[in-house]
Amino acid sequence: MTYIVTVDVGLPGGVPELGPLQRVGAVALLEDGFRAVDTARAPADLRVDLVDSVVAVHPRGALLKVVVDAPALEAAERAVRFLVEGLLERSELLADWPIERCEVVLHSKAALESLEAAGGPDAPPADPAARKARHSEPPRGTGAGIGHDADAEAQGGRRQMLGLADALRSFPPATFGVRAEDDARLAAGALVWATGVLVDHLFEDVQTLSEEDTTVAECDSPLWHLEALPARYALQYDSLFARRFLVTVIALTTRFTDGTFRRLSCVAEELALKLLLDEARVTLETFGLLGDGVSTALETFADTVHEDMDHTWLYDDSLDGIDESPVGNALGVRPLRFKEWFTPLDKGRHVHPYATDDQLDT
């Protein structure tokens, strides 16, 4: 069975935040370490098949996504922890970095298959859309019921989001344009929270499309976020596109949190920000925290970061091709063609090397 394991690696105590060059070096060391892994040398009870790995380094450490085939969830988690610990120990510069989290994320398709194997009222509905809706709901037990304290849950979520707000280093409170500082911080924390959820779900979407060797339009299994992209191009959203889009999301949100963000780089980043804002709203609403002040803060943030809203025309089929029409030229509409989604909007902007058109041609 395929498992996605999320590993958070921190910096040793007393070590200052990593600078840009240090982060590049850390990425190189970690990626080289994964390429050198030989799982056959692991103890028999810790052997798994390493399918893929993605490395993202931020000022306070690294986020690793490790995809493995393993006989059980617990085996995947133990094996990846062993693998990463060995990788860190073999590098003198990373040897003291502690593993702060090593968590298995069960692939949605596998989870659905497990549920289908069980009978009774808790078996999932047959319709894929209904399944997705069920899996998007808050876990059972978070709603009203015996022993449930909705206010305590909301306050707990609020404290966690406020605690995450400082991680959105690229944006001062003024970016959210609200007088109440708590509303701005709550919106910022929700964006950081939503970043983790969005990245995890996109990993699952990539895995689903890869396993079924299909596109979003033809996929039989439920997807988390790729279905929310403009429907007119759904036949072109294959596993390669999904990987490029995932890397774009990681690159964008890394700039949000390491303080280096200046402008959105391409149409794909504009769409990625839309998905991130949608996920932040869902997160806030789940905890009952999406009040008028926070909602206004997110809207102001979106208006500030987006230089224009041309990308929203991709969701209106009646406007297909407007960027190539005389009306579009008169309005100064930027190119919106699918083949240019990962092309920098101008020479002063940059797209992650994995997502560039040059890399695709290669």
Side-chain angles (χ1 to χ4, degrees):
M1 188 174 292
T2 301
Y3 297 91
I4 301 170
V5 186
T6 299
V7 185
D8 281 322
V9 182
L11 297 181
V15 175
E17 292 187 348
L18 300 175
L21 289 178
Q22 291 173 312
R23 294 199 293 274
V24 171
V27 168
L29 288 172
L30 290 165
E31 289 181 343
D32 287 346
F34 276 113
R35 282 193 288 268
V37 164
D38 182 1
T39 57
R41 295 184 179 181
D45 61 333
L46 295 175
R47 290 178 189 168
V48 294
D49 292 327
L50 178 60
V51 177
D52 198 4
S53 62
V54 176
V55 174
V57 175
H58 51 83
R60 295 300 307 161
L63 173 66
L64 313 177
K65 294 287 185 176
V66 187
V67 183
V68 295
D69 283 335
L73 183 149
E74 294 81 3
E77 185 173 271
R78 290 197 306 269
V80 170
R81 178 176 287 274
F82 174 82
L83 183 158
V84 175
E85 285 176 347
L87 183 158
L88 297 173
E89 289 173 0
R90 288 192 296 274
S91 172
E92 181 179 349
L93 296 176
L94 303 177
D96 295 331
W97 287 31
I99 295 177
E100 298 175 345
R101 177 174 66 130
C102 184
E103 178 184 23
V104 170
V105 179
L106 185 62
H107 184 264
S108 59
K109 181 180 178 182
L112 293 174
E113 289 174 349
S114 297
L115 285 171
E116 286 174 337
D122 291 330
D127 179 60
R131 291 180 178 181
K132 179 181 176 182
R134 172 179 290 193
H135 285 275
S136 299
E137 294 172 353
R140 294 189 179 187
T142 61
I146 298 175
H148 174 68
D149 189 336
D151 290 339
E153 182 178 305
Q155 289 307 311
R158 181 184 182 85
R159 284 193 299 273
Q160 291 185 60
M161 289 184 215
L162 290 175
L164 292 170
D166 290 335
L168 205 70
R169 291 178 174 86
S170 286
F171 305 103
T175 309
F176 296 90
V178 292
R179 294 182 178 179
E181 183 179 349
D182 267 9
D183 285 338
R185 290 183 59 81
L186 196 56
L191 287 166
V192 177
W193 183 309
T195 294
V197 176
L198 179 61
V199 170
D200 270 342
H201 287 174
L202 285 173
F203 267 102
E204 294 193 41
D205 285 353
V206 168
Q207 191 71 11
T208 297
L209 294 180
S210 297
E211 287 183 351
E212 297 193 10
D213 190 21
T214 189
T215 66
V216 168
E218 300 166 319
C219 187
D220 292 328
S221 298
L223 296 165
W224 287 105
H225 293 287
L226 294 180
E227 291 176 325
L229 293 175
R232 73 177 68 155
Y233 296 117
L235 280 169
Q236 300 187 62
Y237 303 151
D238 57 11
S239 60
L240 174 57
F241 167 84
R243 292 195 298 273
R244 296 173 76 197
F245 189 75
L246 170 59
V247 168
T248 298
V249 169
I250 293 173
L252 174 64
T253 52
T254 297
R255 303 204 314 277
F256 279 6
T257 55
D258 70 7
T260 63
F261 177 81
R262 297 296 177 268
R263 297 177 296 175
L264 297 172
S265 295
C266 58
V267 173
E269 284 198 353
E270 294 178 328
L271 295 170
L273 178 55
K274 179 183 183 302
L275 296 189
L276 179 65
L277 287 162
D278 289 345
E279 185 60 47
R281 293 187 182 96
V282 169
T283 298
L284 288 162
E285 194 167 14
T286 298
F287 286 97
L289 299 174
L290 191 61
D292 291 341
V294 181
S295 182
T296 299
L298 287 174
E299 290 172 6
T300 304
F301 175 85
D303 291 341
T304 302
V305 177
H306 282 297
E307 296 171 41
D308 58 55
M309 300 304 288
D310 290 359
H311 67 279
T312 60
W313 293 349
L314 289 166
Y315 290 90
D316 187 343
D317 288 340
S318 68
L319 296 174
D320 188 11
I322 189 172
D323 54 315
E324 301 176 271
S325 70
V327 173
N329 291 332
L331 294 174
V333 178
R334 291 181 288 97
L336 297 173
R337 294 183 294 276
F338 176 76
K339 66 180 182 179
E340 297 187 47
W341 282 11
F342 297 97
T343 301
L345 296 174
D346 58 47
K347 293 182 178 179
R349 313 190 201 205
H350 304 279
V351 173
H352 191 284
Y354 183 87
T356 61
D357 297 328
D358 290 341
Q359 177 67 20
L360 179 63
D361 293 340
T362 302

